Amino acid sequence: MKHPILAWTAIALAAGTQTPAHADTTLRMFVSSQGSPETHRKIADLYEQRNPGIKIEIELGGATSELQAQYLNTALSSRDPSLDVLILDIIRPAQFSAAGWISPLGDAAEAAPVLKDYIKAYADANTVDGKLVALPSHADALLLYYRKDLLDKYGLPVPKTWPELAETAGKILAGEGNPELQGLSFQGKAIEGAVCTFFLPYWSAGHDLTRDGKFVFDKDGAVAAFNVWKGLVDQGIAKKNISEVGTDDTRREFQAGKAVFASLWGYGWSNFQGEDSAVRDKVGVAVLPAVEGGRPVSCLGGWEWAVSAYSRHQEEARKLVTFLSGMEATKIKAIEASYLPPQTALYADPDVQKAMPWVESARAVVESAIPRPVTPRYNEVSEVIRTLFNAVIGGSMTPEDAAAQIDARLRRILR
Ligand code: GLC
């Protein structure tokens, strides 16, 4: 296998973008504070050891994707040169590239030998107009976490549809009689993750938002999708104030043994298996249920490394990004923080499989996960969907009104 750093350096040289190396360069790396920032530090330490003269400072962004984007929007629109390397949610490279905030890393065709190691969706998300604009940090998809011990206790299989999940959770809640236990925790708060929550049943029923660049929103499909989530709240499977639940709330609740099922991203696993977890060794991971008559789908997540266009250390930043997205670093992240690997080969790696026994089946989930719409106006699309979803789940708007508003507002944004 070609060493990723060597391969990348060759691309950077070919692109003619190198500047002379500096001794004693400090690179500031912006990372997400959700998940395991300490794993990013560990990888940065490794890089420092191997690259004398380079120091890496870590800047922690907000805990959620949209807070991080807000921080970066402010820094980059004022051309702040203090950040060199940025971690970006998969929904952002297109927008950041259109704004001129990230430096192209090279020609995508020339980078093909490097890109072929990655799950295709990530190579695609990071290619804009033939240019490679970012490289993957980790893959992600919404997964169904379930309490293996409770399903075993009641002799129930892992549910394959949302009605089955409601029935299974209902039986367990009735049997356990524990007022602290919820059937399902999911993200109903008006955060980025709620966009994915909304889309799960909508996509599962075969609907799209855009097709061949055309807006093809299905209003009835959206009403049905809202009703899946609202139904889970109305039946008492999800808790009443689920509209206040964000990503890490779901993680905490499930980890404390307060939910039978959780819809959550990959990072949950390493927490659930941690020493202080109430559910250690009691958790299973599966693909999320389908709507009745639909197909199981997930929402594609993931994070990407990019170089700030305002960094004064372009060459050093590129080299760091190459290392951060290389197999050595992504394997450490998979093992220590259950960040799903972006490279297909790591799904068959024995060390990764030991840390995440379900990782092989997760590959299919990630590979078939559906991306959120790719558009430079993604912020507006997200805002519309997550606030209306939150209003429906919180009971302040009907599914019909919310679907009509999504239709009217997205039609203008995506036209
Ligand atoms: C996860 C996903 C990311 C998504 C976010 C939403 O971090 O990887 O793509 O947008 O959750 O909360």
Side-chain angles (χ1 to χ4, degrees):
M1 190 187 63
K2 209 188 257 181
H3 191 287
I5 296 185
L6 296 183
W8 177 253
T9 306
I11 291 164
L13 283 169
T17 47
Q18 292 204 328
T19 52
H22 298 282
D24 295 328
T25 302
T26 299
L27 295 175
R28 289 184 75 219
M29 180 168 129
F30 176 87
V31 306
S32 147
S33 57
Q34 187 186 76
S36 302
E38 62 283 1
T39 305
H40 290 304
R41 183 66 255 175
K42 181 172 175 178
I43 293 165
D45 289 346
L46 195 63
Y47 190 78
E48 284 178 349
Q49 277 162 28
R50 305 232 184 112
N51 294 276
I54 299 283
K55 287 271 156 295
I56 300 173
E57 282 177 13
I58 289 194
E59 173 96 7
L60 277 187
T64 61
S65 174
E66 64 295 330
L67 285 177
Q68 288 162 39
Q70 235 173 52
Y71 180 103
L72 290 177
N73 284 353
T74 311
L76 298 173
S77 52
S78 65
R79 303 173 166 252
D80 180 349
S82 70
L83 297 173
D84 299 289
V85 167
L86 319 170
I87 201 164
L88 300 179
D89 193 340
I90 188 167
I91 50 192
R92 317 232 182 260
Q95 178 212 340
F96 276 47
S97 166
W101 289 345
I102 52 180
S103 303
L105 299 173
D107 194 84
E110 282 171 38
V114 178
L115 292 181
K116 75 166 183 4
D117 290 341
Y118 294 99
I119 292 173
K120 187 171 177 301
Y122 296 103
D124 291 350
N126 291 326
T127 302
V128 178
D129 296 334
K131 291 266 178 280
L132 184 65
V133 300
L135 278 166
S137 160
H138 55 279
D140 214 350
L142 273 175
L143 301 161
L144 179 72
Y145 289 93
Y146 60 92
R147 286 284 300 277
K148 223 170 32 179
D149 58 329
L150 290 176
L151 258 58
D152 287 351
K153 180 171 167 189
Y154 292 87
L156 296 166
V158 179
K160 297 236 180 309
T161 65
W162 290 108
E164 272 172 39
L165 181 138
E167 202 186 319
T168 306
K171 282 185 187 155
I172 295 176
L173 292 183
E176 293 295 293
N178 171 1
E180 294 257 285
L181 191 65
Q182 313 161 48
L184 170 73
S185 181
F186 65 85
Q187 293 86 64
K189 202 169 171 172
I191 55 163
E192 179 54 40
V195 176
C196 282
T197 313
F198 164 73
F199 274 124
L200 289 172
Y202 179 81
W203 285 333
S204 172
H207 305 299
D208 289 324
L209 191 63
T210 55
R211 207 174 294 138
D212 302 328
K214 283 214 174 59
F215 183 65
V216 292
F217 183 65
D218 188 305
K219 252 199 281 181
D220 295 340
V223 171
F226 281 133
N227 280 328
V228 167
W229 297 113
K230 206 171 139 19
L232 290 164
V233 184
D234 294 346
Q235 292 170 71
I237 302 301
K239 64 179 186 182
K240 289 241 158 332
N241 68 343
I242 194 84
S243 63
E244 290 161 26
V245 171
T247 314
D248 218 37
D249 299 318
T250 294
R251 195 268 301 161
R252 270 192 295 273
E253 288 169 353
F254 191 82
Q255 188 172 330
K258 293 184 178 166
V260 181
F261 295 105
S263 166
L264 188 63
W265 305 95
Y267 85 99
W269 176 258
S270 64
N271 290 279
F272 302 150
Q273 287 302 91
E275 308 246 303
D276 57 348
S277 165
V279 295
R280 192 177 173 161
D281 296 328
K282 296 180 180 164
V283 181
V285 186
V287 60
L288 282 154
V291 295
E292 237 163 14
R295 62 183 180 111
V297 289
S298 186
C299 180
L300 186 75
W303 291 79
E304 322 302 314
W305 292 114
V307 172
S308 162
Y310 308 110
S311 162
R312 298 197 174 111
H313 310 289
Q314 294 287 320
E315 181 208 340
E316 291 88 345
R318 267 161 216 258
K319 281 192 184 150
L320 175 58
V321 161
T322 308
F323 178 74
L324 296 172
S325 55
M327 211 119 38
E328 184 182 10
T330 59
K331 180 169 168 175
I332 295 174
K333 279 184 276 195
I335 292 173
E336 300 207 351
S338 67
Y339 285 146
L340 287 164
Q343 292 97 343
T344 47
L346 285 179
Y347 287 77
D349 182 288
D351 302 326
V352 174
Q353 289 182 350
K354 189 159 172 260
M356 280 189 269
W358 44 275
V359 79
E360 261 191 305
S361 52
R363 177 175 165 184
V365 176
V366 174
E367 285 182 337
S368 62
I370 303 183
R372 283 157 278 175
V374 178
T375 154
R377 295 184 71 180
Y378 182 75
N379 278 350
E380 294 159 81
V381 173
S382 164
E383 165 95 26
V384 167
I385 297 176
R386 62 189 148 91
T387 50
L388 290 168
F389 179 76
N390 175 259
V392 171
I393 296 307
S396 64
M397 194 180 280
T398 63
E400 288 73 16
D401 286 350
Q405 284 215 26
I406 294 186
D407 187 34
R409 288 158 73 177
L410 292 193
R411 194 174 288 281
R412 282 199 299 271
I413 298 170
L414 291 173
R415 96 189 136 194

